[in-house]
Amino acid sequence: IVLTQSPGLLSLSPGERATLSCRASESVGSISVAWYQHKPGQAPRLLIYGASNRATGIPDRFSGSGSGADFTLTITRLEPEDSAVYYCQQYGSSVAFGQGTKVEIK
Amino acid sequence: QLLESGGGLVQPGGSLKLSCAASGFSFKNFAMTWVRQAPGKGLEWVATINNSGGSTYFADSVKGRFTISRDNSKKTHYLQMNSLRIEDTAVYFCAKLGAAAFDVWGRGTLVTVSS
């Protein structure tokens, strides 16, 4: 399975909404889709699992949705610390990551 | 918490063994994984081992060259990397597999393959 994320770069102002897309090459089970935030020099951080469940400690500004082959991560009320690369991931017989979306806060 | 060690500089064709020490959770109950990030690139899954160590899974890019193992008594799992190539240069992260997602990650260890 190949995951394609769009856009590659999102440049937004604080307080705005970010919508990140992840499209799979075939239909996948929602339970197997996750989203991660990764900042340079840090460990990746799990944001969403099972397509729409927030991980422990993740603020409700982060939400996930989707089914089949199309999934979305939405970040509302952007804050400067949200600047990072965001990856979708699918876990099944193998594991696939999308190529990432870089979110820049102006 | 997860803490990787063992990274460093190695020549092409050489070997290196990475370790990942776990704390703060019941290590023996969870599958563990290695994920890497090459310079300027995204995350790439490398290998996964189930909780008992009886089943292992590898990305095609490392199959036949890397092995993954664990010692539940030491709460540690390992990535043995043989026949290393320049394209294996990356930061290697270990992670715990939770509910179909990697919910705990280490900060990574850098492996550089260069002559």
Side-chain angles (χ1 to χ4, degrees):
Chain A
I1 292 177
V2 176
L3 301 180
T4 302
Q5 292 186 238
S6 61
L9 173 64
L10 209 47
S11 186
L12 296 167
S13 297
E16 289 191 306
R17 170 196 296 251
T19 301
L20 288 65
S21 174
C22 177
R23 176 163 289 179
S25 56
E26 60 187 77
S27 181
V28 299
S30 297
I31 195 172
S32 67
V33 174
W35 290 90
Y36 301 86
Q37 176 191 68
H38 193 203
K39 299 180 180 181
Q42 296 187 18
R45 178 190 184 194
L46 174 65
L47 298 174
I48 301 288
Y49 64 95
S52 60
N53 302 288
R54 270 187 299 278
T56 303
I58 303 302
D60 59 8
R61 300 187 297 104
F62 293 86
S63 64
S65 63
S67 63
D70 290 299
F71 298 88
T72 300
L73 175 69
T74 302
I75 313 171
T76 59
R77 305 185 303 278
L78 277 167
E79 299 182 1
E81 58 262 35
D82 297 332
S83 182
V85 179
Y86 293 82
Y87 295 93
C88 61
Q89 173 245 315
Q90 188 271 335
Y91 182 88
S93 57
S94 182
V95 178
F97 285 94
Q99 81 278 20
T101 291
K102 185 174 184 178
V103 173
E104 287 183 347
I105 310 300
K106 297 176 185 175
Chain B
Q1 304 266 16
L2 296 172
L3 182 63
E4 303 94 339
S5 61
L9 174 65
V10 61
Q11 292 187 338
S15 297
L16 208 57
K17 186 174 185 177
L18 306 182
S19 300
C20 174
S23 62
F25 64 93
S26 183
F27 179 76
K28 63 181 181 180
N29 289 335
F30 294 95
M32 300 298 294
T33 284
W34 289 94
V35 173
R36 67 185 180 184
Q37 183 177 35
K41 303 293 185 182
L43 300 176
E44 178 190 17
W45 170 72
V46 175
T48 295
I49 186 167
N50 74 342
N51 64 314
S52 68
S55 296
T56 58
Y57 311 89
F58 297 92
D60 288 344
S61 58
V62 306
K63 202 171 291 184
R65 300 187 298 122
F66 289 13
T67 59
I68 187 172
S69 61
R70 65 191 294 159
D71 185 335
N72 285 346
S73 68
K74 295 182 178 179
K75 298 184 181 180
T76 301
H77 79 287
Y78 309 94
L79 186 69
Q80 176 68 47
M81 304 184 293
N82 299 327
S83 303
L84 281 161
R85 305 167 179 168
I86 291 176
E87 55 264 34
D88 294 318
T89 294
V91 175
Y92 284 73
F93 298 97
C94 63
K96 166 182 165 283
L97 179 62
F102 304 127
D103 57 358
V104 181
W105 293 71
R107 297 194 68 166
T109 185
L110 176 64
V111 172
T112 303
V113 184
S114 174
S115 55

